Amino acid sequence: MNAPKERLDVAAGEETSHILSGLTSQLPDRDPEETAEWVESLDALIREQGTERAQFIMRSLLQRAGSQSVGVPMVTTTDYVNTIPADQEPEFPGNEEFERRYRAYMRWNAAVMVHRAQRSDIGVGGHISTYAGAATLYEVGFNHFFRGKDHPTGGDQVFFQGHASPGMYARAFMEGRLSEEDLDGFRQEKSKEGHALSSYPHPRLMPSFWEFPTVSMGIGPMNAIYQAQSNRYLQDRGLKDTSGQQVWAFLGDGEMDEPESRGLLQLAANENLDNLNFVINCNLQRLDGPVRGNGKIMQELEAFFRGAGWNVIKVVWGREWDDLLAKDTDGSLVNIMNETVDGDYQTYKAESGGFVREHFFGKTPATKDMVADLSDDQIWGLKRGGHDYRKVYAAYKAATEFKGKPTVILAKTVKGYGLGPHFEGRNATHQMKKLTMADLKAFRDHLRIPITDEQLDTDLYRPPYYHPGMDAPEIKYMMDRRAALGGSVPERRSTHVPVVLPEDKSYEVAKRGSGKQQAATTMAFVRLLKDLMRDKGFGNRFVPVVPDESRTFGMDAFFPTAKIYNPKGQNYLSVDRDLVLAYKESPLGQLIHPGINEAGAVAAFTAAGTAYATHGEPLVPIYVFYSMFGFQRTGDSFWAAADQMTRGFIIGATAGRTTLTGEGLQHADGHSPLLASTNPAVRTYDPAYGYEIAHIMRDGLNRMYGPDSEDRNLMYYLTVYNEPITQPAEPENLDTEGVLKGIYLLNPAEPAGLDDKRPRAQILASGVSVPWALEAQRILAQDWGVSADVWSVTSWNELRRDGLAAEEHAFLNPGEEPRTPFVARQLAGATGPVIAVTDYMKAVPDQIRQFIPNEFASLGADGFGFSDTRQAARRFFKNDTHSVVVKALQLLARRGEVDAQAPAQAIEKYRLLDVNAGTTGGAGGES
């Protein structure tokens, strides 16, 4: 049997009918002659009055058809041509020759920077092809649209595609912001400290350069959407005039397969965020191959965004195609464009002009004749739209002038454009980091860089950078453009307007306790936040962010006063309008309510928490969420928030594995502190009482915006519970340092005289488990004659960090007296075994085990959660009051300090193996 012949032709039209709009393909034409007359009339209208008039007539006919019940489906995709017709393109205002020159310099320097980092003694990686293909998209923005911080509008926010970072460094080099030594520090952040460039946009690593981290793909689109909303929030609430600022997000077509990339488009459409522009670099490739080999990603994205309520602008073809399309009187060329799938378009750019002549234009006699007078080189020179600065300029101008909707620009490009046949359009181009000598020379020739063969032949891995000097006319032009637009981009500034933090009285209620009433720590926190928001000097800077659980957390009290932010207000009659806590939306609203949308909530949190740098206006976001759905669901977004140096409070409400009595497995959080511990910017606390919360939040605000802070770029994570308890008043002589650093002595054992020889134990507890520890203390003394001290551990995570820092100091300073970890200092002189108990996995308290010289045991809730009463759940997990008692007796019996039979007797006495015998905790509390 003969082997199948290798397929060289493109897919047949019937195989790709799903990628077309299909307006007429399913309907019979009963009178082709009449149809032809209508089409001819439209063609005549376009010839005589232009496309703009034709658009109006077509829209009027469609509107009339709808009113007459003529079923015309929505056109989700248009033909595979540019959205803006050639006759509607604005005049290009720049100096094309100058811009072409320095764009070539940047493309050369970007590639050389990555290539030089691949020499054998370095080999740190990098990406060449993304920026090579997207340079025009960026440079049109830099030269004509992206406004810097010194622009009267306040400047734009630009989310750069992460893999294109070498291009931004190359431009900064041309502007004199970076040196050759800096470029040679690419991806060598410690070994070249002082001259180092981060691999991707990382504000934390380059705090005066990058503003937005984007390379964890999918997070950039989300954050850009909520940045645009945050700009409007500042405007509507009277905090800053952002009316002239634009948000730009540069994305990849492969990146749009991330659910996060598309999942929040509705917010931008619903709130009419016409200050937002997505630019999707459609090079038709993802990291390993085509995005849609058998389909058309541009058509798919057009339909998706159009359906989501966005304005869509396609930039498919460069100016060289305009004459060919003008000659396409029978639609043969457009039909081929429509039916050709992306896998074939990619192949065309990896082949030659002759190949394109045969396999693309050769499909019909009419299209073959169109290019009969063109050479193979001229056919090869038919550019894609994303490489034509006139077409891109027209799209950007239309986007920034469009009102009422966000805009997405779909720009078709070639990945690795100009890098030569080994790179352009190849499946492996994303991973390719090195250029051969032949590649270098061909790339130099293509860009017309004045570097000689001798200079290149000297060392393959040290080709020279090129800069014509700051006095070169094209560089002067470039600098003038940036000056007119308000300075360099990207740039990050951390200075902000001065603020006065909340007064002492804002914390008083939290410190007084709940008196005779019971209140969960969730409610203690909410009451404190309400008082903080009332502070006249700072209160309007708090931004509560709650994803559709406000009532669960008792925050519905904020609705009638702080109100829910909605730029359109509340244009309906609220069903609960007569209630005291009625749902109230307003453009002046302070509460961000993203709906059932944790990812969007973190994006809103990030935008607000970085307003001090982005806008010079400090905001303090307070993101309150169902504990289980925080770090577990959106940990990647919190990591990006840390990179962006977000400041704010993260509140894991309804925390713990046994407090949500009815919710069950996927709601029962027993591990969030461990997940949070992986983020270096997060300070995690598990407070037991309202007064602890007050001190922690006050400390957080002081660290973020106080006068004496060393590290301001922190997020404070507090876990709070929905189990009502009696909130005690703040004790006199409270060990505030202990509260903030992680542990303090809450309740020492009752002294039994100077000759007290009772066995002793230390009970360490956090959060909701502190009352269990206090009850265990009472039972141990009353039933077993054991004296136990109870310690409130407000932060296992911070105690571990402090302990590790002490170990590191001792490791690096062997001649000095070792520093004692804080937890060890606090427990100095505390005798007997240590029993640590939480409503989390044992691994949470186990974080401090190595820093405690006493015998140590931990109790927690390992395993999956389930639905039951709190008492039964705690008895099942063996972290309840009586489990603390039994564990203490076990450790003391092992030491010979209590009767060896005591543990067994206690197990029987308290029916420890019977889940129905549990008594720890009570009912109540919303879930």
Side-chain angles (χ1 to χ4, degrees):
M1 186 180 212
N2 293 330
K5 186 178 180 180
E6 183 180 2
R7 176 181 174 278
L8 291 178
D9 59 338
V10 298
E14 58 268 19
E15 295 176 9
T16 61
S17 60
H18 65 285
I19 60 182
L20 307 179
S21 62
L23 274 176
T24 60
S25 60
Q26 304 300 318
L27 299 175
D29 188 351
R30 294 189 177 90
D31 192 342
E33 186 175 342
E34 183 184 22
T35 302
E37 291 175 0
W38 280 95
V39 172
E40 185 179 342
S41 296
L42 177 63
D43 290 344
L45 174 64
I46 295 171
R47 280 194 308 272
E48 294 171 13
Q49 299 194 44
T51 55
E52 188 172 1
R53 177 61 181 164
Q55 284 177 358
F56 181 82
I57 295 297
M58 289 299 300
R59 286 171 181 261
S60 299
L61 289 173
L62 287 170
Q63 185 169 326
R64 183 64 176 171
S67 68
Q68 296 294 317
S69 299
V70 177
V72 180
M74 183 181 77
V75 181
T76 55
T77 59
T78 56
D79 282 326
Y80 202 66
V81 295
N82 296 340
T83 301
I84 301 174
D87 67 333
Q88 289 188 31
E89 288 178 15
E91 190 73 24
F92 183 76
N95 185 313
E96 296 183 22
E97 175 57 25
F98 282 175
E99 292 185 26
R100 184 203 66 77
R101 282 189 212 168
Y102 60 75
R103 186 169 70 247
Y105 307 157
M106 292 172 199
R107 293 179 61 209
W108 171 262
N109 290 331
V112 165
M113 179 182 69
V114 175
H115 178 74
R116 286 169 70 116
Q118 306 318 307
R119 57 187 186 273
S120 58
D121 58 325
I122 302 294
V124 292
H127 298 280
I128 295 178
S129 296
T130 297
Y131 177 71
T136 299
L137 301 180
Y138 287 114
E139 280 307 304
V140 171
F142 278 120
N143 293 324
H144 303 285
F145 293 94
F146 303 159
R147 290 167 291 195
K149 301 285 187 186
D150 293 326
H151 193 274
T153 62
D156 294 345
Q157 291 87 48
V158 185
F159 290 71
F160 294 98
Q161 194 175 0
H163 294 106
S165 62
M168 309 314 120
Y169 295 140
R171 171 169 261 273
F173 171 64
M174 300 307 297
E175 292 178 357
R177 301 171 68 195
L178 297 177
S179 66
E180 289 193 15
E181 188 176 1
D182 294 328
L183 298 188
D184 278 344
F186 179 60
R187 292 193 170 196
Q188 300 151 72
E189 294 169 47
K190 299 303 179 186
S191 58
K192 296 289 180 66
E193 192 165 3
H195 294 281
L197 303 180
S198 61
S199 53
Y200 302 121
H202 292 307
R204 184 168 285 271
L205 299 177
M206 297 180 66
S208 63
F209 193 86
W210 295 114
E211 275 200 289
F212 306 107
T214 53
V215 84
S216 185
M217 289 185 282
I219 290 180
M222 292 194 303
N223 285 356
I225 289 170
Y226 275 87
Q227 183 64 57
Q229 186 206 47
S230 187
N231 289 7
R232 292 284 169 83
Y233 177 88
L234 285 162
Q235 173 85 20
D236 290 339
R237 294 195 56 226
L239 294 168
K240 184 186 178 183
D241 181 3
T242 62
S243 58
Q245 295 182 281
Q246 295 274 324
V247 176
W248 299 82
F250 285 81
L251 315 168
D253 49 359
E255 180 179 4
M256 298 311 294
D257 279 349
E258 289 283 3
E260 295 88 347
S261 295
R262 305 194 196 189
L264 300 178
L265 301 184
Q266 77 284 349
L267 174 82
N270 291 343
E271 297 195 2
N272 306 115
L273 297 179
D274 50 22
N275 59 340
L276 174 65
N277 310 290
F278 274 18
V279 181
I280 302 182
N281 176 19
C282 295
N283 56 38
L284 315 184
Q285 291 183 242
R286 49 192 179 199
L287 307 189
D288 288 332
V291 181
R292 296 289 184 272
N294 293 325
K296 297 172 89 70
I297 186 60
M298 290 186 74
Q299 302 295 83
E300 176 187 320
L301 292 174
E302 177 186 23
F304 198 94
F305 277 89
R306 192 186 298 274
W310 286 52
N311 175 43
V312 180
I313 300 174
K314 288 194 297 190
V315 184
V316 189
W317 308 111
R319 71 191 78 169
E320 297 82 4
W321 291 85
D322 289 345
D323 288 342
L324 294 176
L325 286 166
K327 297 175 185 176
D328 186 32
T329 55
D330 65 353
S332 297
L333 178 58
V334 171
N335 190 53
I336 292 173
M337 291 172 168
N338 285 339
E339 293 187 347
T340 300
V341 294
D342 285 354
D344 287 319
Y345 276 124
Q346 183 187 350
T347 297
Y348 295 148
K349 277 305 176 185
E351 294 293 338
S352 65
F355 187 94
V356 174
R357 181 193 300 275
E358 178 183 355
H359 295 281
F360 182 79
F361 290 105
K363 287 188 173 188
T364 71
T367 51
K368 188 174 182 178
D369 287 345
M370 277 186 194
V371 295
D373 295 335
L374 300 182
S375 67
D376 287 351
D377 286 343
Q378 287 175 311
I379 290 176
W380 187 247
L382 294 169
K383 289 198 299 288
R384 294 182 176 177
H387 302 303
D388 188 322
Y389 38 83
R390 291 187 193 175
K391 303 294 186 184
V392 174
Y393 176 83
Y396 286 8
K397 188 172 189 294
T400 55
E401 293 174 355
F402 192 90
K403 299 302 178 186
K405 292 182 180 181
T407 293
V408 59
I409 296 166
L410 306 174
K412 190 176 184 182
T413 64
V414 178
K415 196 165 187 177
Y417 181 71
L419 290 173
H422 295 114
F423 281 80
E424 282 192 355
R426 299 291 174 180
N427 280 338
T429 190
H430 185 78
Q431 286 78 20
M432 295 167 70
K433 304 160 177 53
K434 301 178 181 180
L435 294 156
T436 66
M437 186 59 73
D439 289 332
L440 275 171
K441 291 180 178 178
F443 190 41
R444 173 205 59 190
D445 293 343
H446 172 73
L447 298 175
R448 305 175 212 171
I449 304 297
I451 292 174
T452 65
D453 283 353
E454 291 74 19
Q455 289 175 287
L456 295 178
D457 289 335
T458 301
D459 186 342
L460 172 61
Y461 284 105
R462 290 186 183 276
Y465 298 112
Y466 181 73
H467 196 303
M470 297 304 291
D471 290 333
E474 63 268 34
I475 302 302
K476 286 184 176 180
Y477 168 87
M478 179 187 73
M479 299 301 289
D480 287 344
R481 292 304 310 134
R482 284 314 316 156
L485 288 166
S488 294
V489 174
E491 182 191 10
R492 182 181 181 277
R493 297 178 183 176
S494 58
T495 55
H496 57 76
V497 298
V499 294
V500 179
L501 294 178
E503 299 177 357
D504 292 348
K505 65 180 181 181
S506 298
Y507 301 93
E508 289 176 359
V509 172
K511 294 181 179 183
R512 287 204 296 262
S514 60
K516 295 181 180 180
Q517 294 183 328
Q518 288 194 325
T521 49
T522 298
M523 287 311 304
F525 157 74
V526 170
R527 289 173 182 172
L528 172 61
L529 178 57
K530 198 167 186 179
D531 287 343
L532 289 171
M533 290 171 64
R534 287 171 175 163
D535 183 87
K536 293 182 179 179
F538 195 86
N540 66 337
R541 296 188 180 275
F542 288 102
V543 184
V545 181
V546 190
D548 214 30
E549 289 284 3
S550 298
R551 298 185 193 278
T552 301
F553 307 141
M555 295 182 68
D556 46 345
F558 290 26
F559 292 167
T561 53
K563 301 183 180 63
I564 297 162
Y565 173 69
N566 187 327
K568 300 178 183 179
Q570 186 166 306
N571 301 313
Y572 59 90
L573 197 62
S574 175
V575 68
D576 61 359
R577 61 192 179 280
D578 294 329
L579 300 181
V580 174
L581 303 184
Y583 197 82
K584 184 63 177 176
E585 301 178 76
S586 168
L588 301 176
Q590 194 165 355
L591 177 68
I592 299 288
H593 195 304
I596 305 173
N597 180 1
E598 280 86 5
V602 182
F605 171 83
T606 302
T610 53
Y612 71 91
T614 309
H615 291 290
E617 289 286 347
L619 297 177
V620 180
I622 314 282
Y623 173 30
V624 190
F625 54 89
Y626 237 119
S627 181
M628 186 70 155
F629 308 132
F631 284 87
Q632 175 166 298
R633 175 167 291 190
T634 50
D636 194 12
S637 289
F638 281 125
W639 194 263
D643 193 348
Q644 199 170 325
M645 292 177 282
T646 304
R647 303 173 187 174
F649 292 89
I650 308 162
I651 310 297
T654 58
R657 184 148 279 165
T658 68
T659 60
L660 287 172
T661 54
E663 292 294 285
L665 187 148
Q666 287 187 288
H667 288 68
D669 180 11
H671 52 278
S672 284
L674 293 177
L675 299 178
S677 73
T678 64
N679 192 318
V682 175
R683 296 175 64 94
T684 303
Y685 288 90
D686 188 28
Y689 299 127
Y691 67 81
E692 294 178 353
I693 295 173
H695 282 287
I696 291 165
M697 290 195 68
R698 186 171 193 170
D699 178 66
L701 289 172
N702 279 324
R703 286 181 179 272
M704 294 171 200
Y705 293 108
D708 303 318
S709 179
E710 294 180 2
D711 183 6
R712 301 179 179 278
N713 302 316
L714 299 167
M715 295 176 281
Y716 272 54
Y717 174 40
L718 281 69
T719 50
V720 293
Y721 301 83
N722 70 321
E723 183 170 354
I725 62 171
T726 300
Q727 294 285 335
E730 180 178 311
E732 292 185 17
N733 303 316
L734 174 67
D735 179 5
T736 305
E737 181 188 29
V739 172
L740 300 179
K741 289 191 173 181
I743 183 173
Y744 70 99
L745 181 59
L746 173 66
N747 196 42
E750 289 289 337
L754 296 176
D755 59 344
D756 182 12
K757 300 192 183 302
R758 291 181 300 176
R760 294 192 67 86
Q762 308 298 320
I763 305 175
L764 278 56
S766 69
V768 75
S769 69
V770 168
W772 319 343
L774 292 170
E775 178 64 8
Q777 178 191 47
R778 185 190 66 79
I779 293 173
L780 281 167
Q782 180 178 299
D783 293 359
W784 306 96
V786 172
S787 295
D789 297 324
V790 174
W791 301 77
S792 177
V793 179
T794 54
S795 181
W796 307 97
N797 292 30
E798 288 305 303
L799 292 178
R800 176 169 179 79
R801 282 182 179 164
D802 173 78
L804 292 175
E807 287 186 345
E808 181 78 358
H809 182 269
F811 168 54
L812 298 176
N813 300 276
E816 297 183 13
E817 183 72 21
R819 180 172 72 78
T820 303
F822 182 76
V823 65
R825 292 208 313 271
Q826 290 288 82
L827 291 171
T831 58
V834 170
I835 301 93
V837 59
T838 75
D839 204 25
Y840 291 102
M841 298 171 62
K842 296 181 181 73
V844 173
D846 278 353
Q847 291 181 94
I848 68 170
R849 181 186 290 263
Q850 73 199 69
F851 309 114
I852 295 177
N854 310 51
E855 188 176 3
F856 186 96
S858 56
L859 299 176
D862 286 66
F864 289 111
F866 52 85
S867 299
D868 213 314
T869 65
R870 292 181 178 125
Q871 298 92 328
R874 289 159 188 170
R875 179 53 56 94
F876 173 84
F877 284 120
K878 304 299 181 292
N879 67 340
D880 62 350
T881 291
H882 295 114
S883 297
V884 175
V885 171
V886 171
K887 179 58 72 173
L889 293 175
Q890 278 186 346
L891 298 182
L892 289 168
R894 191 181 303 164
R895 297 154 64 100
E897 297 183 20
V898 300
D899 189 280
Q901 298 304 312
Q905 292 169 359
I907 288 174
E908 183 176 357
K909 177 181 177 68
Y910 305 125
R911 295 165 55 200
L912 199 68
L913 304 182
D914 182 357
V915 296
N916 292 307
T919 61
T920 301
E926 294 298 323
S927 61

